[in-house]
Amino acid sequence: MVVIAASNMACLQLGAATNPPKSWWRQPSKQYHPPIGRDSPILKSTSQPTPYFLCSNDGPMDSTAYASVLDSCTSPIFGKSIHAHVIKSGFHRNEFVETKLLQMYGRCECLDDAHLLFDKMPIRNLYSWLAIISVYVDHDLFEEAFLLFWGLLYEDVSLDFFVFPIVLKICSGLQDIGLGRQIHGFVIKATFASNIYVGNALIDVYGKCGNLSDAKKVFFTMSKTDLVSWNSLLSACALNGMVHEALENLHKMSLSGHAIPNVVSWSAVISGLTQNGYAIEAIELLSRMQEEKVKPNAQTIAGALPAFAELQSLTLAREIHAYIARHGYMINPIVVNGLLDVYRRCGDMERACKIFSRYSVKNVVLYNTMIVGFCENGEISKAEDFFYQIEQNGIQRDLITWNAMISGYVDNLLLQKAIKLYEEMQMVEGIQVDSYSLGSALSACSEKGCLRKGKQVHGQAIIRGLNTNPFVAEALMEMYFKNQDVKSAQQAFEEVTCRDIETWNSFISGYARCNQVDDLSILLKRMRQDGFDPNIYTWNGVISGHVENGHYEVALQWFSKLPSANLKPDVYTIGTILPACSKLAAIERGKQVHGYSIRCGYDSDVYIGASLVDMYAKCGSIKHAVRANSRILEHNLVSQNAMLTAYAMHGLGEEDSVTWGALLGGCINSGDVEHGEIAAEKLLELEPENTGNFVLLANLYAYAGRWRDLWRIRKIITEKRMRKNAGCSWIEDGNDVHVFTANDTSHLRNEEIYTILENLTMHMKKQLDIALLL
């Protein structure tokens, strides 16, 4: 035990004041409950009933009985009745009972009552102080909790080791590493550093405040460690992005023999993998956890769900959904919200709606998730329905709700609605805007060309002190550059106090787009002086600006400088520079770019492929255009139009059929009847006797359920006595080629072939029957 006097405060260096302020903690902004005391209305009321559990026939209540009742109390009404009974029976001066009352008020969310009770306590011991500090910590009121601890240090009260885990939790909540170090020094002087509980709390505070090296130092200097020590170390590694080290420690933990990983251990590493972008690894570890016979809990699942969301796989989404349902986690609101987010990221808002309506405990977080999901999927009317339903269901819309709806309007080009909602949020609801609100409003003004309104938003940003925010500054620069107002864009840039590389890239790209090419070298030099080396995104902005302004030769020169800058072009660079080669008809340099795109695997990308087709066609090489077109993995309207244009430019209209056929096939796969009919019409004009074209059109109508049109096409095939060529396949066997067509009986080994086929068919049916039984 150590007695702390005011003269010992120098070792903590917690402030210059010699005495604590008169009001050493702020009043919490919580709902007020009538206080309990001698003048309490509860005591004055003769009709206030005594709770039945206090009416004992075995004699008067003692402190142990009161403590037992208070520990189980979760109702403010009953809690106050117990307090009244305590006062009536003369136990209100009992430190033990009053400490239990403090804990009860904290548990019942009656912070004002806890505050008043503590303030009126005639005698406060260490446990009383610890109880009131814990109440504030449990409600995340860390500044108030610390001021209380400061008050404790001025009291003639002996401290013990169990105080410091709570004080260190305050440091974590405040994210104050300096304060944490001071408490650590104090712990060492008080000879509590060797205590395992204090050591575990020190690992936790250093990990949460971003100082992994000190967290590890504490762990490895502890004379004794336990499961909590290891779990604190795992969490520290995971929180600070050292996920591979966390995995190694998980393995070492298993080998240590005295600290077998439990659900907390596995959950910490899974959550760390998820937060640091290792989605596949997180899901694999979740599977391995179950193989090790450790059952995940709701926290584990909640930590893993963002990994499923990141992969955007409906198959995986359904698998984790089934697991959650089977194990009864659908009652957990955090898990349900995570699952909603998975389906949102997968684009399955229909399933998300079903979960929302059936399982979720409606709160603003879930509503916000649904609004964002509908906006991302272009279903703005449904997003609006949810936006206006919130308050109808008695839930207060928060800033995130408004930001999500405004951003959704901007992303879906409903710019006037975005600006109107932005104004309504402030003028009607009285909500203060933040950097995201301002960024969305500025984007709307930029797209709509409302420079005057944009300047008003800029003024609001200055008033709120958010014009220095990089996100807001980038939106301001984009708006001003789009309106060719370079001077205002530069002013917005100069106002940013903590510029990052993204801010510099936006600024340089804007200068290039506004044809301020003479200043680019100066800006790049300034960027380096500011501590940032230009990256590929910087160069992309410069090259793109030159291409947009017709400086094709200069753009190619910048492109050729990339190797000397130790930078590799990305897919955006290739897509930007190819039009410059097209405009200059520079086929040799185009081929060099093409070669690089092949080595990087970019040539199979539909947009790069379309650019290559366009470049070769304009450079006079239809042969290379056709080859580039054949490398595209998934064609779309852009690539098909590029090939059509290439054929037309070279007078090969009769070829206008291969491309139209490919386009029709793509329309069937995607169910695009409108464009499919256009492609089919062109095909039938070019090849009126090709039965395959009619069959493709029939398949399109069947896919869309347009049976009348399907029968019409089949009638045309019958009337013209068209016959579809039989399906054909072949295989090579040594030097021989074996050709097979549908219902073919001409092969020399015909009977043997059909016998094997029949055996295979019977085997497959048998396996199918077994699968159905299982």
Side-chain angles (χ1 to χ4, degrees):
M1 304 282 280
V2 178
V3 178
I4 308 299
S7 60
N8 298 120
M9 283 297 293
C11 68
L12 267 179
Q13 299 178 354
L14 296 178
T18 55
N19 292 297
K22 291 182 179 178
S23 175
W24 15 283
W25 73 85
R26 291 195 295 272
Q27 289 278 3
S29 56
K30 297 285 184 180
Q31 183 178 356
Y32 180 77
H33 297 276
I36 293 292
R38 294 185 184 86
D39 298 325
S40 167
I42 291 178
L43 288 180
K44 290 183 177 180
S45 172
T46 55
S47 61
Q48 180 69 26
T50 300
Y52 72 90
F53 42 76
L54 296 180
C55 301
S56 172
N57 295 324
D58 298 329
M61 295 281 288
D62 60 12
S63 59
T64 304
Y66 276 124
S68 177
V69 171
L70 286 166
D71 280 341
S72 61
C73 178
T74 56
S75 165
I77 296 174
F78 283 121
K80 290 180 181 182
S81 298
I82 298 166
H83 192 174
H85 196 277
V86 165
I87 295 172
K88 285 181 179 179
S89 59
F91 277 89
H92 59 285
R93 292 183 179 274
N94 185 292
E95 297 172 35
F96 176 63
V97 173
E98 289 196 313
T99 299
K100 291 294 180 181
L101 281 166
L102 283 173
Q103 293 170 343
M104 178 274 296
Y105 279 130
R107 191 165 54 250
C108 294
E109 303 284 333
C110 301
L111 269 71
D112 288 339
D113 293 303
H115 171 94
L116 289 171
L117 172 62
F118 180 79
D119 199 35
K120 291 182 179 181
M121 287 176 68
I123 302 173
R124 300 169 184 150
N125 61 18
L126 179 62
Y127 300 97
S128 311
W129 280 96
L130 204 58
I132 190 66
I133 291 171
S134 297
V135 166
Y136 282 86
V137 170
D138 291 343
H139 289 82
D140 295 338
L141 298 168
F142 299 111
E143 291 183 13
E144 292 83 349
F146 177 70
L147 288 170
L148 278 166
F149 173 65
W150 189 7
L152 169 61
L153 294 177
Y154 281 90
E155 296 288 318
D156 188 17
V157 177
S158 298
L159 298 188
D160 211 333
F161 72 89
F162 50 77
V163 173
F164 293 98
I166 295 174
V167 176
L168 288 166
K169 190 174 181 181
I170 295 172
C171 300
S172 300
L174 293 172
Q175 284 289 288
D176 191 334
I177 188 66
L179 182 60
R181 288 184 188 281
Q182 292 178 37
I183 299 295
H184 190 178
F186 180 80
V187 162
I188 293 170
K189 287 193 175 186
T191 69
F192 293 140
S194 60
N195 183 277
I196 192 169
Y197 302 105
V198 176
N200 293 344
L202 283 166
I203 297 170
D204 183 70
V205 72
Y206 281 127
K208 287 179 178 174
C209 290
N211 194 325
L212 180 59
S213 61
D214 279 351
K216 290 160 65 177
K217 190 182 296 182
V218 172
F219 178 85
F220 289 114
T221 55
M222 289 173 69
S223 57
K224 182 182 177 183
T225 58
D226 61 5
L227 185 61
V228 177
S229 314
W230 278 97
N231 287 345
S232 299
L233 180 64
L234 290 176
S235 296
C237 292
L239 282 170
N240 289 277
M242 303 301 291
V243 289
H244 296 297
E245 191 171 341
L247 283 167
E248 288 175 13
N249 285 324
L250 185 68
H251 180 64
K252 290 178 183 176
M253 191 176 174
S254 303
L255 299 176
S256 68
H258 63 274
I260 304 301
N262 63 359
V263 65
V264 177
S265 320
W266 290 91
S267 300
V269 182
I270 289 169
S271 178
L273 287 166
T274 300
Q275 291 170 13
N276 288 279
Y278 295 92
I280 295 173
E281 291 83 352
I283 295 171
E284 287 175 349
L285 194 63
L286 179 64
S287 176
R288 188 178 133 205
M289 173 185 181
Q290 295 171 81
E291 291 171 2
E292 297 287 335
K293 309 300 181 186
V294 181
K295 183 182 177 182
N297 60 15
Q299 183 181 354
T300 319
I301 300 301
L305 281 170
F308 289 87
E310 184 179 335
L311 293 177
Q312 299 182 17
S313 166
L314 267 177
T315 302
L316 285 175
R318 288 166 184 150
E319 287 180 9
I320 192 64
H321 185 180
Y323 180 90
I324 289 168
R326 283 198 310 271
H327 291 81
Y329 295 131
M330 292 301 289
I331 61 172
N332 186 294
I334 298 175
V335 172
V336 170
N337 188 46
L339 187 59
L340 280 177
D341 198 54
V342 172
Y343 280 116
R344 171 187 75 83
R345 294 283 299 277
C346 292
D348 190 350
M349 289 307 296
E350 183 179 354
R351 178 66 60 181
C353 271
K354 288 179 180 177
I355 294 171
F356 180 85
S357 59
R358 292 180 187 175
Y359 298 105
S360 62
V361 178
K362 305 299 186 292
N363 58 38
V364 71
V365 175
L366 295 179
Y367 270 104
N368 291 347
T369 301
M370 296 300 291
I371 290 169
V372 170
F374 283 124
C375 289
E376 286 176 343
N377 286 275
E379 300 179 84
I380 291 296
S381 59
K382 290 183 179 178
E384 288 175 327
D385 290 341
F386 272 77
F387 179 78
Y388 291 109
Q389 278 176 22
I390 297 182
E391 290 197 330
Q392 294 172 9
N393 291 331
I395 300 170
Q396 185 69 35
R397 290 181 296 212
D398 62 10
L399 179 60
I400 297 173
T401 318
W402 289 87
N403 283 350
M405 199 67 240
I406 294 168
S407 177
Y409 280 141
V410 174
D411 291 342
N412 288 274
L413 300 179
L414 297 170
L415 307 174
Q416 188 59 44
K417 281 191 171 185
I419 294 170
K420 183 179 179 182
L421 197 64
Y422 172 80
E423 293 172 342
E424 182 184 335
M425 174 178 73
Q426 301 167 82
M427 298 176 67
V428 178
E429 296 292 326
I431 296 176
Q432 291 285 352
V433 298
D434 66 356
S435 58
Y436 296 101
S437 322
L438 291 164
S440 295
L442 288 166
S443 295
C445 295
S446 177
E447 291 295 325
K448 198 167 171 41
C450 297
L451 185 58
R452 183 177 178 182
K453 179 63 183 176
K455 287 185 175 181
Q456 292 175 7
V457 177
H458 189 177
Q460 288 179 304
I462 293 171
I463 292 169
R464 296 275 294 140
L466 293 171
N467 57 311
T468 61
N469 180 284
F471 177 75
V472 175
E474 287 171 32
L476 282 166
M477 286 188 288
E478 177 65 24
M479 179 186 70
Y480 285 127
F481 279 132
K482 199 159 190 176
N483 286 275
Q484 300 293 311
D485 189 346
V486 177
K487 185 177 180 181
S488 295
Q490 182 174 2
Q491 181 184 346
F493 173 78
E494 300 295 349
E495 288 172 353
V496 182
T497 51
C498 296
R499 290 191 283 266
D500 55 21
I501 194 164
E502 287 78 16
T503 314
W504 269 107
N505 286 346
S506 297
F507 187 52
I508 290 171
S509 174
Y511 254 75
R513 295 201 320 269
C514 288
N515 208 16
Q516 304 292 311
V517 292
D518 294 336
D519 296 322
L520 291 177
S521 297
I522 298 171
L523 292 179
L524 289 169
K525 185 178 179 180
R526 264 193 71 190
M527 181 181 181
R528 292 188 182 95
Q529 290 171 347
D530 210 13
F532 301 102
D533 289 326
N535 59 16
I536 190 60
Y537 304 106
T538 320
W539 286 74
N540 286 347
V542 172
I543 293 170
S544 177
H546 282 299
V547 172
E548 285 182 28
N549 288 286
H551 307 304
Y552 307 119
E553 188 63 50
V554 180
L556 285 167
Q557 289 172 10
W558 278 92
F559 179 79
S560 65
K561 293 176 185 177
L562 279 172
S564 61
N566 294 319
L567 293 173
K568 292 183 178 180
D570 62 7
V571 68
Y572 184 82
T573 322
I574 302 298
T576 304
I577 202 64
L578 281 170
C581 298
S582 300
K583 294 292 184 181
L584 294 172
I587 191 168
E588 290 305 318
R589 280 188 278 189
K591 284 180 178 179
Q592 292 173 11
V593 177
H594 188 184
Y596 184 86
S597 68
I598 292 172
R599 291 193 296 275
C600 295
Y602 298 151
D603 62 318
S604 60
D605 178 87
V606 65
Y607 295 102
I608 297 299
S611 296
L612 285 166
V613 169
D614 180 71
M615 185 270 295
Y616 280 123
K618 289 177 178 174
C619 290
S621 179
I622 189 65
K623 178 179 70 174
H624 286 95
V626 172
R627 286 181 182 173
N629 185 64
S630 67
R631 297 275 296 179
I632 298 172
L633 289 179
E634 295 183 10
H635 288 274
N636 64 7
L637 196 59
V638 173
S639 63
Q640 299 290 4
N641 281 342
M643 197 65 236
L644 286 169
T645 304
Y647 279 133
M649 285 173 65
H650 289 264
L652 298 171
E654 68 276 6
E655 299 293 337
D656 194 8
S657 60
V658 177
T659 310
W660 284 116
L663 179 58
L664 177 56
C667 291
I668 293 170
N669 291 332
S670 63
D672 187 349
V673 179
E674 181 183 354
H675 290 103
E677 285 184 312
I678 296 171
E681 182 182 341
K682 295 292 183 182
L683 270 174
L684 295 177
E685 287 179 9
L686 293 167
E687 299 177 335
E689 302 303 322
N690 187 336
T691 310
N693 296 335
F694 286 91
V695 173
L696 282 173
L697 184 56
N699 290 341
L700 176 66
Y701 287 137
Y703 184 93
R706 289 173 53 172
W707 310 117
R708 189 181 297 276
D709 291 318
L710 172 63
W711 295 330
R712 178 173 58 81
I713 296 301
R714 285 184 175 173
K715 185 179 178 183
I716 293 172
I717 293 172
T718 303
E719 288 177 351
K720 291 192 173 186
R721 297 182 179 180
M722 293 177 170
R723 293 186 60 188
K724 186 179 182 295
N725 293 332
C728 178
S729 61
W730 59 90
I731 59 171
E732 293 185 27
D733 179 20
N735 294 325
D736 297 326
V737 177
H738 300 269
V739 180
F740 300 92
T741 58
N743 299 315
D744 185 17
T745 58
S746 62
H747 198 276
L748 294 175
R749 300 173 66 181
N750 175 59
E751 292 184 7
E752 183 182 350
I753 291 168
Y754 276 101
T755 300
I756 293 172
L757 283 173
E758 287 174 4
N759 288 335
L760 286 171
T761 303
M762 289 175 63
H763 181 70
M764 286 189 290
K765 286 182 178 178
K766 184 178 179 181
Q767 292 299 317
L768 179 60
D769 291 339
I770 292 170
L772 291 172
L773 287 172
L774 292 175

